[in-house]
Amino acid sequence: MKGEDINYLKKYLSADKALKVCILDNNSIEFLTRIQCCIRPEKIFSQYDIILVPEWVWIEVCDSENRKDYINDLKHYSKVQIIDEVDYLILVDYKEAELYYLFLYCCYNVSRLVSFIKKNILKNRPIEDLDSYEEWLNIFYEEGLDQKKLSNGRIQRKNAGEISNDVIKCNMSYLITKKLEWR
């Protein structure tokens, strides 16, 4: 599931056919595990061409064997891809400034995160002088998100999954726009 080539994913998502893409978050997965006795996953997921699970969400999913097994079983109904947030850069054709703005805008509902990004990542510099995407993404993930240590020892980062999902949705919009330009 994990480790598939991101360029393949980009090519797949940029194909000339309309794709049905499902992007899952941890809360949705938990809910789906609870209703699977009433609504079989096949009924929900067989309509999708691909199911995306951002890496930050996958980390949360792995806190529960039940959620992890649920995602692993979805490969019977659709293509499942766990996508590392570092690879989002490839999806936007290596345009780091655009990716910075995607993260910034996806954080606007949490003003503390917007302040953190402007103060600790942009650092009152022009966008052209940003550190590399991987560097500032790591700072954002390690220092910007509220953290809590769970009983299993993992550090839970508040809003990480939601932000990652929002950014991937924006990436999908970007790819759709590019697809229209290519025609």
Side-chain angles (χ1 to χ4, degrees):
M1 193 174 354
K2 194 175 160 190
E4 286 195 27
D5 184 21
I6 190 70
N7 288 311
Y8 171 79
L9 177 62
K10 181 180 176 184
K11 185 177 180 180
Y12 184 78
L13 294 171
S14 302
D16 257 353
K17 67 177 189 165
L19 294 174
K20 292 181 183 174
V21 178
C22 176
I23 304 170
L24 290 174
D25 64 29
N26 191 44
N27 290 332
S28 299
I29 296 164
E30 178 64 26
F31 173 75
L32 291 166
T33 63
R34 293 175 187 244
I35 65 164
Q36 69 181 331
C37 60
C38 305
I39 303 173
R40 301 296 310 149
E42 178 181 5
K43 190 163 182 79
I44 299 168
F45 294 102
S46 60
Q47 67 179 315
Y48 292 104
D49 296 304
I50 189 166
I51 300 167
L52 296 178
V53 180
E55 180 75 22
W56 291 351
V57 172
W58 180 247
I59 290 169
E60 295 173 355
V61 166
C62 290
D63 286 339
S64 161
E65 283 300 317
N66 195 28
R67 289 190 305 257
K68 188 176 175 181
D69 291 344
Y70 187 87
I71 293 297
N72 285 325
D73 288 343
L74 291 182
K75 64 184 172 213
H76 300 295
Y77 313 111
S78 183
K79 180 175 177 47
V80 177
Q81 174 72 47
I82 296 171
I83 180 170
D84 191 332
E85 285 75 8
V86 171
D87 292 333
Y88 288 0
L89 189 58
I90 296 167
L91 295 176
V92 294
D93 296 325
Y94 298 93
K95 296 177 181 167
E96 292 193 26
E98 288 186 25
L99 200 48
Y100 165 82
Y101 285 120
L102 287 178
F103 269 91
L104 181 65
Y105 295 137
C106 289
C107 291
Y108 263 101
N109 62 339
V110 185
S111 59
R112 187 192 68 70
L113 291 178
V114 172
S115 296
F116 178 87
I117 289 171
K118 289 180 178 179
K119 180 181 177 190
N120 298 290
I121 294 173
L122 191 57
K123 301 176 187 172
N124 214 14
R125 301 175 293 182
I127 193 79
E128 300 81 28
D129 294 339
L130 265 180
D131 295 332
S132 74
Y133 166 63
E134 194 167 346
E135 288 177 48
W136 68 253
L137 180 66
N138 189 49
I139 291 168
F140 177 70
Y141 186 71
E142 295 295 330
E143 301 171 23
L145 301 169
D146 290 338
Q147 300 179 17
K148 177 173 100 176
K149 189 168 189 166
L150 302 178
S151 60
N152 66 4
R154 184 179 72 78
I155 303 295
Q156 180 182 46
R157 289 174 172 80
K158 185 174 172 71
N159 301 109
E162 295 90 345
I163 292 166
S164 185
N165 276 354
D166 288 347
V167 173
I168 194 68
K169 288 173 194 171
C170 290
N171 272 314
M172 296 298 113
S173 297
Y174 177 88
L175 287 171
I176 290 166
T177 303
K178 289 309 239 178
K179 190 188 305 185
L180 293 173
E181 288 175 11
W182 294 329
R183 290 186 180 165

